[in-house]
């Protein structure tokens, strides 16, 4: 045997056994991907030892392919509907059925302990199949923004999954009115650490929560639907290990505040988000405000001043979620007080200014203070009413740890102080080299073609981009597509690009594997769109609809524009498209 | 290039073309918009003319296999969807015909016709000769003003962009939308439990603007 062949057999001097041990410590999916490309032997070892896989769009592959490659998976995350579904832009029956995956999991994935489904359709029957096969070893089940199931399905989980440590149903659409499943969970489980049904309409009985706290002594995180928290006084006394609590609600009976003041929160509680909390009730947080690490005020009734009063007592805050009622004044307080802040989300409040505080707008002033005050910031998502290039430059100068940046310019103000934002965006991207996720939603005139070119030029690390109302013409998009070497997922909304430019950009971006567009200039017969037709590239078209009775909207007609969705797929054309989705390629 | 200028010129000069085509033989509608179209459209490319009589809903006229089919009240959106399907199946069958290395494939160049446009033969479906865009930004919207006055920038079809923005308001996250609706209900039905009062309960109750989403 020649020396060269011997080397190959020994896999570069490392024995197989040693290789397996070493690779056991390699967890990062990107490292694993690199490992699998070295040679067949390393590919096989990676395939057999891979513990977790995230499939960003469930139609990009098939359950069978996943099983053949990674038969020993312990943890799987599957995503179904496009991200735009969270904004009511995707038809409910678009797809993302988990059925085929569950059947494969039941048959073949014998090591699976953790399943996370995001924006998928999960039926009670799917749950039945899953728990029958894997219930005895399931440790973590997350149904995140899913729909299609009922409390009957939850009952099955509660009865069969005694090892469950994490059960999360956040923001899922679950029908059914009974709260039996919580009772069953409390009775059958003793190891539960996290229970989350925040932002659901599920009913909950306080006694069942008390039973849960008694039986599950490891419970550290509970997020529930609406339930007056004055009924949870006993629960809070029993759940002594609780670190996170979200949900609950405050009743409307004015003058009955004493019942809330009687609540004694668990000693380790440091992550809180209380729904409908108003100025008077927020005082119940004051005793332990200094210990707070996470605070969710998105669903509260606080004014700008209330935000200032509360936040100035929270010097240890790491994660803060608010609506823009926090205002520039509130952001000043954040900048002065919350030096450890890593994540900040500033959501969009009500457009009716009568309902929100008059001071409740965020602008360049607040952003600049924030940038200079909170140097640890890694995630910033903000809806602003006004913006300048200087504010973005400030972020570029100070926010060196920023990995995820999202800015939406609201259409409240007619005139914006400083547009276009070309130079600011360039400074931001150049200064914040770690940015991997980037969203910019402006208005016509907000970013020129030159600015769009800057985004392409300075987005070396960016994997996901959402852009709305930016650029002036196709030239901008084409310039953009010459850059962004690592861009995998691109979402465009309300832009002025033609189909031809979209197709050419899709072909040019070297790492692009997913494209979503709503609002573009269509070509006469859709021929231009098919310019990007190629092997393994699925193209779907969602024609516009004119629905008189949209379930999600009570205000009457919604006329929505057409959408294009394109993604790499090894599974070929979808076979489960509803009428509202037209697969164009493969035809 | 202003898309709408080109479009309006083209429509006026070629209306006569559209009219003459309508006088061809009037066969019974036998065009089935399903898979069977794909097999037969290697040589014969369907020619479609959505004729727009503003402001009424469109009449859709289709030439296929020597017969003319007329469909009333087809909205522009539906027409576009139908044309997209045809284009996709044509591309697919063209690709498979090419693979079969058949010399007789594609001997007849597909004739692609648009509303009021000149009839020309395009050598391949991927290079349409038309500049008119049958999009939702119809010519009737061109009168709308620019949403935001930005003197330092000029851009294509500013009116079309403003119409786009009206039709595509900034979308709100579902969870937050539900919260805001619940809050409005509480404010209207009970005494305000917040520190800020709404200006007028009637104003609050009459949220009719679709742009809020």
């Amino acid at each position: 045997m020649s020396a060269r062949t011997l080397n190959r057999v020994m896999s570069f001097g490392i024995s197989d056994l040693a290789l397996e041990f070493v690779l056991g410590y390699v967890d990062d999916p990107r490292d694993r991907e690199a490992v699998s490309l070295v040679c067949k032997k390393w590919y096989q070892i990676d395939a057999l030892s891979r513990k977790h896989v995230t499939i960003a769009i469930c139609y990009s592959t098939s359950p069978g392919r996943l099983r053949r490659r990674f038969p020993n998976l312990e943890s799987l995350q599957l995503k179904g509907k496009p991200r735009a579904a969270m904004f009511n832009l995707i038809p409910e029956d678009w797809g993302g059925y988990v059925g085929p995956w569950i059947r494969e999991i039941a048959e073949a994935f014998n090591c699976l302990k953790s399943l996370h489904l995001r924006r998928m359709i999960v039926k009670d029957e799917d749950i039945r199949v899953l728990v029958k096969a894997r219930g005895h070893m399931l440790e973590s089940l997350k149904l995140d923004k899913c729909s299609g199931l009922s409390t009957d399905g939850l009952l099955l989980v509660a009865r069969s999954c005694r090892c469950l440590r994490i059960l999360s149903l956040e923001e899922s659409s679950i029908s059914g009115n009974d709260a039996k499943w919580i009772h069953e969970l409390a009775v059958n489980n003793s190891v539960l650490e996290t229970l989350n049904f925040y932002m659901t309409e599920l009913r909950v009985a306080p006694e069942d929560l008390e039973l849960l706290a008694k039986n599950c002594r490891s419970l550290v995180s509970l997020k529930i639907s609406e339930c007056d928290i004055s009924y949870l006084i006993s629960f809070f006394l029993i759940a002594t290990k609780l670190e996170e609590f979200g949900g609950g609600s405050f009743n409307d009976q004015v003058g009955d505040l004493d019942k809330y003041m009687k609540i004694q929160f668990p000693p380790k509680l440091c992550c809180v988000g209380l729904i409908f909390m108003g100025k008077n009730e927020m005082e119940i947080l004051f005793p332990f405000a200094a210990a707070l690490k996470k605070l969710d005020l998105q669903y509260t009734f606080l004014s700008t001043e209330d935000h200032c009063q509360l936040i100035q007592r929270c010097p240890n805050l790491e994660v803060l979620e608010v609506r823009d009622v926090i205002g520039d004044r509130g952001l000043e307080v954040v900048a002065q007080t919350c030096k450890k802040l890593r994540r900040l989300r500033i959501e969009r409040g009500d457009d009716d200014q009568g309902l929100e505080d008059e001071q409740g707008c965020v602008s360049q002033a607040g952003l600049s203070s924030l940038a200079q005050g909170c140097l640890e910031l890694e995630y910033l998502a903000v809806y602003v009413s006004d913006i300048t290039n200087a504010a973005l430059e400030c972020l570029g100068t100070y926010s060196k740890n920023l990995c995820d940046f999202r800015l939406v310019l609201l259409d409240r103000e007619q005139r914006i102080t400083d547009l276009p934002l070309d130079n600011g965006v360039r400074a931001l991207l150049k200064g914040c080299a770690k940015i991997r996720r980037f969203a910019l939603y402006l208005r016509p005139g907000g970013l020129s073609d030159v600015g769009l070119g800057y985004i392409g030029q300075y987005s070396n690390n960016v994997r996901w981009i959402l852009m709305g109302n930016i650029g002036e013409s196709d030239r901008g998009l084409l310039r953009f597509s010459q850059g962004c070497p690592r861009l995998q997922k691109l979402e465009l909304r309300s832009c002025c690009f033609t189909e031809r430019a979209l197709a050419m950009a899709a072909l040019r971006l070297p790492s692009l594997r997913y494209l979503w567009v709503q609002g573009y200039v269509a070509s006469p017969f859709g021929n231009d769109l098919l310019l990007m037709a190629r092997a393994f590239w699925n193209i779907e078209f969602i024609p516009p609809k004119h629905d008189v009775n949209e379930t999600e909207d009570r205000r009457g007609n919604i006329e929505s524009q057409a959408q294009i969705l394109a993604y790499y797929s090894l599974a070929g054309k979808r076979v489960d498209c509803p009428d509202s989705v037209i697969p164009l390629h493969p035809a | 290039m202003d898309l709408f200028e080109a479009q309006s010129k083209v429509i006026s000069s070629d209306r006569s073309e559209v009219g003459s085509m309508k006088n061809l033989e009037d066969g019974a509608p036998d065009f089935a918009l399903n898979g069977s179209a794909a097999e037969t459209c290697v040589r014969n490319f369907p020619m479609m003319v959505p004729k727009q009589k503003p402001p009424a809903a469109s009449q859709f006229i289709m030439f296929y296999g020597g017969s003319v089919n007329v469909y009333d009240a087809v909205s522009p959106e539906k027409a576009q969807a139908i044309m997209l399907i045809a284009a996709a199946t044509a591309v697919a069958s063209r690709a498979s015909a090419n693979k079969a290395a058949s010399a007789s494939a594609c001997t007849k160049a597909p004739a692609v016709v648009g509303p009021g446009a000149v009839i020309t033969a395009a050598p391949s479906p991927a290079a349409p000769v038309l500049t008119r865009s049958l999009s939702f930004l119809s010519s009737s919207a061109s009168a709308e003003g620019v949403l935001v006055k930005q003197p330092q920038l000029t851009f294509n079809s500013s009116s079309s962009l403003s119409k786009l923005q009206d039709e595509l308001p900034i979308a709100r996250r579902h969870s937050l939308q539900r919260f805001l609706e619940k809050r409005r209900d509480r404010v209207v039905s009970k005494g305000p439990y917040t520190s800020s009062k709404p200006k007028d309960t009637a104003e609050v109750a009459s949220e009719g603007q679709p742009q809020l989403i």
Side-chain angles (χ1 to χ4, degrees), chain A residues 257-512:
Chain A
L257 289 172
D258 287 344
K259 63 180 179 181
Y260 298 125
M261 299 307 159
K262 286 201 198 105
I263 298 172
Q264 270 185 301
F265 287 107
K268 291 198 188 149
L269 195 66
C270 59
C271 307
V272 166
L274 302 173
I275 304 180
F276 302 150
M277 184 174 74
K279 174 199 175 71
N280 296 323
E281 300 87 50
M282 74 175 181
E283 288 177 24
I284 62 176
L285 297 181
F286 287 179
F288 62 106
L292 283 177
K293 288 194 191 153
K294 276 195 198 177
L295 191 53
D296 182 358
L297 304 174
Q298 291 175 103
Y299 311 107
T300 59
F301 292 160
L302 303 177
S303 67
T304 306
E305 176 60 29
D306 297 337
H307 279 82
C308 296
Q309 289 288 323
L310 178 55
I311 292 171
Q312 73 183 19
R313 294 160 198 260
C314 306
N316 288 308
L317 220 49
E318 293 174 23
V319 177
L320 178 62
E321 293 170 298
V322 294
R323 296 192 313 277
D324 60 352
V325 65
I326 190 177
D328 284 339
R329 263 217 310 138
L331 284 184
E332 273 279 355
V333 175
V334 171
Q336 284 162 13
T337 316
C338 310
K339 295 302 182 187
K340 298 184 188 168
L341 198 68
R342 286 184 297 107
R343 293 176 66 95
L344 175 60
R345 179 170 188 92
I346 304 175
E347 263 291 353
R348 172 186 176 198
D350 210 313
D351 291 331
D352 186 330
Q353 286 305 104
L355 281 174
E356 296 278 26
D357 197 311
E358 277 152 20
Q359 304 171 66
C361 300
V362 171
S363 75
Q364 56 271 17
L367 283 188
S368 301
S369 313
L370 180 72
Q372 292 170 70
C374 301
L375 301 173
E376 304 299 314
L377 212 55
E378 293 168 8
Y379 172 105
L380 176 61
V382 56
Y383 283 79
V384 294
S385 305
D386 196 5
I387 189 72
T388 58
N389 281 286
L392 296 179
E393 281 157 17
C394 199
L395 283 161
T397 305
Y398 292 99
S399 309
K400 292 302 182 187
N401 290 312
L402 213 54
C403 299
D404 192 331
F405 178 78
R406 310 176 195 203
L407 183 111
V408 179
L409 179 59
L410 293 169
D411 48 17
R412 282 189 205 141
E413 298 295 325
Q414 278 279 352
R415 203 190 150 268
I416 300 300
T417 302
D418 185 18
L419 290 184
L421 295 175
D422 296 3
N423 293 332
V425 169
R426 179 179 53 179
L428 173 74
L429 288 170
K430 275 179 94 170
C432 305
K434 292 187 192 171
I435 289 185
R436 293 169 52 95
R437 297 173 69 86
F438 181 75
L440 195 62
Y441 205 111
L442 304 175
R443 57 172 69 177
L447 196 77
S448 75
D449 283 346
V450 171
L452 199 42
Y454 289 155
I455 298 183
Q457 200 180 346
Y458 297 108
S459 299
N460 273 320
N461 261 326
V462 181
R463 262 76 170 173
W464 167 77
I465 291 184
L466 160 67
M467 295 193 288
N469 280 321
I470 43 87
E472 306 160 88
S473 72
D474 288 347
R475 246 176 294 126
L477 183 63
L478 294 174
R479 236 180 267 178
F480 164 83
S481 65
Q482 280 170 328
C484 299
R486 291 198 173 84
L487 187 64
Q488 294 173 334
K489 187 169 168 182
L490 178 62
E491 296 178 28
L492 293 170
R493 194 159 183 263
S494 190
C495 295
C496 53
F497 311 127
T498 61
E499 265 177 34
R500 190 179 200 93
L502 289 169
M504 288 174 63
L507 291 175
R508 216 194 288 196
L509 288 160
S511 304
L512 194 72

Side-chain angles (χ1 to χ4, degrees), chain A residues 114-340:
Chain A
S114 163
L115 185 61
H116 181 175
L117 306 174
R118 189 165 162 92
R119 296 191 293 266
M120 295 196 79
I121 298 178
V122 185
K123 308 207 172 116
D124 287 343
E125 175 60 20
D126 299 324
I127 299 285
R128 194 192 63 78
V129 172
L130 175 70
V131 302
K132 182 156 180 232
R134 300 277 155 249
H136 62 286
M137 33 185 298
L138 215 54
E139 291 179 15
S140 171
L141 180 62
K142 295 185 190 168
L143 304 179
D144 175 10
K145 301 176 180 61
C146 294
S147 60
L149 77 160
S150 77
T151 45
D152 292 342
L154 297 182
L155 208 52
L156 288 171
V157 172
R159 286 194 179 131
S160 315
C161 304
R162 293 168 183 254
C163 301
L164 213 56
R165 290 184 298 108
I166 299 174
L167 177 60
S168 178
L169 310 164
E170 184 162 327
E171 249 191 278
S172 288
S173 225
I174 304 173
S175 64
N177 231 348
D178 72 79
K180 245 192 305 177
W181 65 277
I182 305 182
H183 182 85
E184 288 295 309
L185 195 61
V187 162
N188 287 304
N189 191 310
S190 60
V191 294
L192 199 67
E193 295 168 17
T194 299
L195 176 60
N196 180 345
F197 51 101
Y198 197 46
M199 297 290 117
T200 65
E201 303 294 333
L202 292 168
R203 260 191 52 222
V204 54
E207 312 81 64
D208 291 330
L209 291 179
E210 289 165 31
L211 188 60
L212 192 69
K214 278 199 195 104
N215 289 345
C216 301
R217 301 310 298 155
S218 313
L219 195 69
V220 294
S221 168
L222 179 71
K223 292 171 90 170
I224 63 173
S225 51
E226 286 171 42
C227 163
D228 195 304
I229 63 161
S230 62
Y231 301 149
L232 300 178
I233 293 177
S234 303
F235 165 77
F236 285 128
L237 289 172
I238 304 170
T240 49
K241 294 229 180 70
L242 204 68
E243 295 172 19
E244 173 170 43
F245 180 79
S249 69
F250 292 86
N251 236 330
D252 262 5
Q253 279 141 30
V254 187
D256 206 5
L257 289 172
D258 287 344
K259 63 180 179 181
Y260 298 125
M261 299 307 159
K262 286 201 198 105
I263 298 172
Q264 270 185 301
F265 287 107
K268 291 198 188 149
L269 195 66
C270 59
C271 307
V272 166
L274 302 173
I275 304 180
F276 302 150
M277 184 174 74
K279 174 199 175 71
N280 296 323
E281 300 87 50
M282 74 175 181
E283 288 177 24
I284 62 176
L285 297 181
F286 287 179
F288 62 106
L292 283 177
K293 288 194 191 153
K294 276 195 198 177
L295 191 53
D296 182 358
L297 304 174
Q298 291 175 103
Y299 311 107
T300 59
F301 292 160
L302 303 177
S303 67
T304 306
E305 176 60 29
D306 297 337
H307 279 82
C308 296
Q309 289 288 323
L310 178 55
I311 292 171
Q312 73 183 19
R313 294 160 198 260
C314 306
N316 288 308
L317 220 49
E318 293 174 23
V319 177
L320 178 62
E321 293 170 298
V322 294
R323 296 192 313 277
D324 60 352
V325 65
I326 190 177
D328 284 339
R329 263 217 310 138
L331 284 184
E332 273 279 355
V333 175
V334 171
Q336 284 162 13
T337 316
C338 310
K339 295 302 182 187
K340 298 184 188 168

Side-chain angles (χ1 to χ4, degrees), chain B residues 193-209:
Chain B
Y193 204 40
T194 63
S195 50
S196 63
K197 283 185 190 288
K199 283 183 212 144
D200 182 30
T201 45
E203 199 184 297
V204 165
S206 64
E207 298 292 3
Q209 302 129 353

